[in-house]
Amino acid sequence: MKRSPFRRRRKTRDFTCIDDIVRANLICMKKGSGVYNIGSGHSVAINELVSKIIEISESESEIVYTDSVIGDAEHTLSSYEKAWKEIGWKPEISIDKGLERYAEWILSSQL
């Protein structure tokens, strides 16, 4: 199967594990009173993420690069400083751990 991140291998994103996002929302419902950036605080290159997914899943997928979508951000990175100071939230699950958990979930969900 072919995968298509982007032709520009420099693009980065701030990926956040869904468990961390859910935890942030639950904390906000109890003691939040503002707008908070909820992110990992780390940028990961799209190309690096795709390589990790292929490695974890033991896939034989070929990476195929395509043109970027017009208007797509080159880089994203959020600061969770305000969330940490005001509601005590910070991310706990690394990108590697999140991907491992997701792969385990996929494998256990297959019939």
Side-chain angles (χ1 to χ4, degrees), residues 34-111:
V35 176
Y36 303 97
N37 283 328
I38 302 301
S40 72
H42 300 284
S43 285
V44 176
I46 300 287
N47 199 41
E48 181 183 335
L49 176 72
V50 172
S51 294
K52 286 181 185 198
I53 292 169
I54 289 171
E55 179 183 334
I56 289 169
S57 65
E58 299 177 354
S59 171
E60 294 179 12
S61 296
E62 175 188 347
I63 300 173
V64 177
Y65 295 95
T66 61
D67 292 328
S68 295
V69 175
I70 294 173
D72 189 31
E74 289 290 318
H75 308 284
T76 64
L77 177 63
S78 71
S79 169
Y80 58 86
E81 183 178 354
K82 180 180 174 186
W84 174 243
K85 286 180 179 177
E86 293 186 12
I87 62 172
W89 180 90
K90 67 179 182 177
E92 296 179 349
I93 302 166
S94 70
I95 186 77
D96 291 333
K97 190 63 173 171
L99 288 172
E100 288 172 12
R101 285 183 180 185
Y102 183 65
E104 289 170 6
W105 178 79
I106 289 290
L107 290 173
S108 68
S109 299
Q110 294 180 359
L111 299 174

